[in-house]
Amino acid sequence: MKFKTTAVAVFGLLAALSAQAAEVDYGAFKVNYDASTVFGSPSLSFSSSGNVVGFGWTVPTDVQVVSLGSLVTASFDLPSFTITANSGWALSGGVNGFLGNLVYNELGGSTAASVTGSVVVDGSPAFPFGGALDKVVLSSTGGLSTGYYSGSYSAPVGAFNSFSFSGGSLSLQASGGLFSSIIGQPQNELRVSLVAMPVPEPETYAMLLAGLGVMALLFSRRRQNS
């Protein structure tokens, strides 16, 4: 009876873990991610010059902290993910991350925001990173200050087959004065970008070598005829 109960619990745990893990194929690479955070599934996909490609999430309005004077802190798990190169593609960095712009309001109070996490490249030891987000003041008058928090992070890696981010957390803090807050907006984004280059198939190299061979043969015959 105990074995049966344990087996049911194990199968239930495996089913829960399976429901939380998800995958998106972006053509050049796949992203396996944790869908259990408030960020849900990736909703962004983009590309730019220099073979830069990327994906990301919009920041939900659940990401917020509000204080009416006392110290209030809130922590939100960032989605863990693993980027894996698809066949026929070569990936390289730096791998760049961006989070912003989280709007803040302070009426005699103060706010703060920071991010932590770790990255693993091709199975290497985990590399921790983190720090405070940059605070940009847009207006400050009559005791009311408004602006936003944002941060950019770059993992200085070269060519890679897999890149993983895990243990990520966004910490928000508000305190003092009459009112202070940091609230996520629909236009706020968590983005990841990298470089993806197509790799010629072996058949392409074979055709190239064959073409060079024909050109060499023709050149040799012309020299003999002359």
Side-chain angles (χ1 to χ4, degrees):
M1 184 68 178
K2 183 178 294 185
F3 175 77
K4 182 177 180 181
T5 303
T6 303
V8 171
V10 170
F11 282 122
L13 176 59
L14 291 175
L17 292 175
S18 177
Q20 293 173 352
E23 181 181 272
V24 180
D25 192 331
Y26 291 100
F29 59 93
K30 292 184 178 68
V31 175
N32 293 88
Y33 65 95
D34 176 11
S36 66
T37 72
V38 295
F39 288 81
S41 300
S43 55
L44 306 173
S45 176
F46 56 90
S47 62
S48 60
S49 60
N51 296 297
V52 174
V53 293
F55 63 96
W57 293 259
T58 56
V59 179
T61 55
D62 293 340
V63 175
Q64 61 173 267
V65 63
V66 178
S67 170
L68 297 178
S70 60
L71 172 63
V72 180
T73 60
S75 182
F76 304 91
D77 290 337
L78 297 175
S80 299
F81 62 84
T82 297
I83 304 170
T84 306
N86 280 335
S87 177
W89 290 88
L91 306 181
S92 62
V95 179
N96 300 305
F98 171 81
L99 176 61
N101 297 319
L102 305 178
V103 176
Y104 79 84
N105 290 277
E106 299 170 354
L107 185 55
S110 63
T111 58
S114 61
V115 167
T116 58
S118 63
V119 299
V120 172
V121 181
D122 290 335
S124 65
F127 174 76
F129 77 93
L133 297 182
D134 296 327
K135 183 178 184 179
V136 177
V137 179
L138 296 179
S139 175
S140 182
T141 179
L144 174 63
S145 177
T146 62
Y148 62 86
Y149 285 94
S150 69
S152 298
Y153 304 90
S154 180
V157 299
F160 65 90
N161 288 317
S162 69
F163 178 96
S164 299
F165 171 81
S166 62
S169 179
L170 169 63
S171 298
L172 305 179
Q173 176 179 304
S175 65
L178 297 177
F179 176 84
S180 54
S181 69
I182 304 175
I183 300 178
Q185 307 288 329
Q187 68 270 25
N188 299 159
E189 297 177 347
L190 170 61
R191 300 197 305 264
V192 181
S193 64
L194 59 145
V195 175
M197 293 282 291
V199 177
E201 298 294 333
E203 294 82 359
T204 304
Y205 285 115
M207 292 177 63
L208 177 61
L209 291 175
L212 291 175
V214 171
M215 291 179 63
L217 180 60
L218 293 175
F219 180 74
S220 176
R221 287 182 176 177
R222 286 181 179 177
R223 290 188 62 186
Q224 291 176 0
N225 293 334
S226 63

